[in-house]
Amino acid sequence: GRISSFSRYRPQRRYQVVGSVRYERTMKVRKVIMKISFAVCVFLSCCGISLSTGAGVGGGCEPYGGGDQLMTSAWLDDVGPCVSLYAGSVGGGIQQPRGLVNSPLTAGDLLVADMGEKPLENARRRKGENGRIVALRDMNDDGVIGDDEWIVLARQKGLNHGIAVHNGYLFASTSDKIYRWPYEAGQWEDLGDGELVLYNMDMTGAPGPGGGLSSPLGHSTRTLIFDKQGRLYVSVGSVGNVDGDSYRSRIRRFGNLSDPDLSAPVDFTGGEIFADGLRNEVGLAWADDKEEVLFGVENGMDNL
């Protein structure tokens, strides 16, 4: 694995490894790593995994005081990382959490792309047959999501990872399609049926004789992120461990998907190639509020 960076101003046919950039950018990289690490910590908490460091009650870390305490870098510097159970399948409303969104666009709610309950005990984990978007809100500020502090905002078969909020819409993805729902920050109700806005992410090669098939082979999760200009970046991983070409191993960019007047769904294969040759860029985050440099966490090939 590695962290890569990309400029959003022009398509990138090669990615840049952070280890080769100048020292002046190391602090930006550190901030991005902290953001991604925090997301991982929240994800582990959502899965019911409890980690802790430092002294505190019962050998754990200092008690969480609520409010913005956990979010402040000063608090983290003083106390160190502290991860405890935030939400789980019992009481917390989540089953197989993947993508997370928490920002002013959600009014502080934590939105979770959750694959839902497995249809069968031995079913494959990532099918997402009961895929849904769950909103979590710590109403009593005790640091734990209880029975009455979560709600299912949307349901769609196949939802498995990708989630984003932009321009009054909630976006979420299956392996092949992206849907959107009208959404206002802090909305706490069923959003109804989703609108299909993009399709064909499962294509394994260019159409035509001998071309690719539309099949959920290989990496099935899609990562979504918007820039300030309203363009959506979609990361899709390779079909196999090492593909013969990079048709699937790319980040594509799309405009107007958050336009209220979108007339028809967009074919993914016609999107602009923003970055090429990326085996599986699962984590994406902007370097800073300018949103001029996009960082990605690259899952490299197996069995090296």
Side-chain angles (χ1 to χ4, degrees):
R2 59 168 66 91
I3 296 179
S4 311
S5 64
F6 321 88
S7 168
R8 72 176 174 85
Y9 291 112
R10 61 183 182 275
Q12 303 293 304
R13 294 301 176 131
R14 298 179 62 189
Y15 61 87
Q16 182 179 17
V17 178
V18 166
S20 66
V21 302
R22 297 191 308 273
Y23 174 79
E24 295 85 75
R25 189 169 289 177
T26 57
M27 289 305 294
K28 289 185 177 180
V29 175
R30 182 181 177 187
K31 291 179 181 178
V32 172
I33 292 174
M34 288 179 66
K35 290 180 181 179
I36 295 174
S37 298
F38 179 76
V40 171
C41 289
V42 175
F43 174 74
L44 291 174
S45 297
C46 291
C47 289
I49 300 173
S50 180
L51 306 174
S52 64
T53 63
V57 178
C61 47
E62 292 297 325
Y64 169 57
D68 295 328
Q69 187 181 30
L70 188 61
M71 295 294 187
T72 62
S73 59
W75 187 84
L76 288 172
D77 289 340
D78 291 341
V79 181
C82 175
V83 183
S84 58
L85 179 64
Y86 181 66
S89 58
V90 178
I94 56 174
Q95 300 295 326
Q96 299 183 82
R98 290 286 302 187
L100 307 173
V101 172
N102 173 252
S103 74
L105 296 177
T106 68
D109 291 345
L110 179 64
L111 305 190
V112 183
D114 182 24
M115 292 185 290
E117 296 181 354
K118 298 178 183 178
L120 297 172
E121 184 61 31
N122 60 350
R124 288 185 60 190
R125 179 177 182 272
R126 294 187 178 181
K127 284 189 175 181
E129 294 294 319
N130 299 310
R132 58 192 188 162
I133 303 298
V134 180
L136 310 178
R137 181 183 301 171
D138 185 11
M139 298 179 184
N140 59 9
D141 206 26
D142 66 350
V144 180
I145 296 299
D147 288 336
D148 57 349
E149 295 179 315
W150 62 273
I151 188 173
V152 176
L153 293 179
R155 298 180 185 273
Q156 177 63 51
K157 182 179 179 180
L159 292 185
N160 65 0
H161 179 78
I163 182 171
V165 175
H166 184 75
N167 196 34
Y169 288 99
L170 167 64
F171 294 80
S173 67
T174 68
S175 68
D176 188 61
K177 299 177 176 64
I178 295 178
Y179 297 85
R180 73 179 187 182
W181 293 260
Y183 170 76
E184 297 180 2
Q187 197 163 348
W188 198 256
E189 60 184 321
D190 188 331
L191 302 179
D193 294 333
E195 174 189 4
L196 177 65
V197 296
L198 189 144
Y199 64 97
N200 253 352
M201 292 190 291
D202 278 343
M203 287 297 291
T204 61
L213 302 173
S214 181
S215 176
L217 301 171
H219 296 102
S220 61
T221 61
R222 317 298 181 221
T223 304
L224 316 178
I225 191 169
F226 280 90
D227 65 16
K228 287 184 178 295
Q229 295 176 249
R231 296 176 296 189
L232 176 63
Y233 298 72
V234 183
S235 173
V236 175
S238 62
V239 178
N241 186 27
V242 180
D243 288 357
D245 58 56
S246 62
Y247 188 85
R248 271 274 295 267
S249 306
R250 294 171 173 169
I251 297 176
R252 291 184 183 265
R253 181 165 64 182
F254 302 85
N256 304 320
L257 291 186
S258 61
D259 187 340
D261 298 323
L262 182 68
S263 59
V266 175
D267 188 338
F268 176 79
T269 61
E272 176 187 9
I273 299 174
F274 173 73
D276 194 27
L278 304 167
R279 179 180 177 275
N280 191 25
E281 212 76 6
V282 177
L284 297 176
W286 294 109
D288 51 37
D289 291 339
K290 294 180 181 180
E291 297 186 0
E292 295 176 352
V293 177
L294 180 64
F295 283 88
V297 177
E298 165 73 1
N299 289 350
M301 68 182 70
D302 302 326
N303 303 319
L304 289 177

